């Protein structure tokens, strides 16, 4: 949510519901944790963040949630800046096990894209 894009009455209503002043709500939104590192990490590991969001939206959302709450952002940003993410992310990233699975799937998808498209279609058909 971006507070500046909302009508004042909406901001006031949300702030009242949370028992905050509109100014405090704006500050809370401004300080909200983000997952800015995730798309950069995925790209560094050869996984397209947009493709992941399209093919596996639930997985992407879960990765974002974990990343937003991560306490190792300093290490992650350092490795992203130096290009060392692939060598070190497993040491601190809580998403590492899932990312490892994705990397395996993603490398397979580049060698068999038609099969991956079929799997995506089947998953979509079986989704609730």
């Amino acid at each position: 949510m971006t507070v500046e894009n909302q009508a004042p009455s909406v901001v006031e209503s949300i702030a009242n519901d949370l028992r905050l002043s509109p100014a405090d709500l704006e500050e809370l939104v401004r300080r909200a944790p983000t997952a800015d590192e995730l798309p950069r990490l995925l790209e560094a590991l050869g996984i397209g963040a947009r493709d992941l969001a399209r093919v596996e939206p639930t997985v992407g959302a879960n990765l974002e949630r974990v990343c937003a709450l991560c306490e190792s952002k300093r290490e992650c940003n350092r490795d992203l800046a130096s290009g060392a993410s692939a060598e070190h992310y497993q040491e601190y990233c809580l998403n590492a096990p899932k990312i490892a699975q994705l990397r395996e799937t993603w490398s397979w998808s580049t060698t068999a894209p038609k099969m991956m498209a079929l799997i995506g279609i089947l998953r979509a058909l079986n989704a609730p």
Side-chain angles (χ1 to χ4, degrees), residues 24-89:
D24 286 344
L25 176 60
E26 289 180 29
E27 180 66 15
L28 181 64
V29 170
R30 189 181 67 72
R31 290 186 181 193
T34 65
D36 295 340
E37 296 81 4
L38 183 62
R40 294 169 41 218
L41 175 61
L42 292 175
E43 294 294 334
L45 299 172
I47 300 170
R50 285 187 179 169
D51 292 334
L52 176 63
R54 183 178 43 79
V55 176
E56 293 282 357
T58 305
V59 172
N62 287 334
L63 291 172
E64 286 179 10
R65 180 184 50 79
V66 170
C67 182
L69 299 173
C70 181
E71 295 181 6
S72 299
K73 291 190 179 285
R74 180 173 288 153
E75 294 90 346
C76 186
N77 281 307
R78 179 194 65 226
D79 287 344
L80 285 166
S82 70
S85 295
E87 295 84 35
H88 298 290
Y89 82 98

Side-chain angles (χ1 to χ4, degrees), residues 3-21:
V3 175
E4 60 272 0
N5 294 338
Q6 302 300 316
S9 61
V10 172
V11 173
E12 288 177 22
S13 176
I14 294 170
N16 286 335
D17 289 347
L18 297 172
R19 295 193 163 111
L20 298 170
S21 71

Side-chain angles (χ1 to χ4, degrees), residues 3 5-6 25 30 33 41 46 51 61 68-69 76 84 87 91-92 95 99 101-102 104 107-108 116 126:
V3 175
N5 294 338
Q6 302 300 316
L25 176 60
R30 189 181 67 72
L41 175 61
D51 292 334
L69 299 173
C76 186
E87 295 84 35
E91 298 167 9
Y92 52 79
N95 278 322
I99 290 173
Q101 289 177 336
L102 287 171
E104 190 174 305
S107 66
W108 187 70
M116 286 305 294
N126 288 320

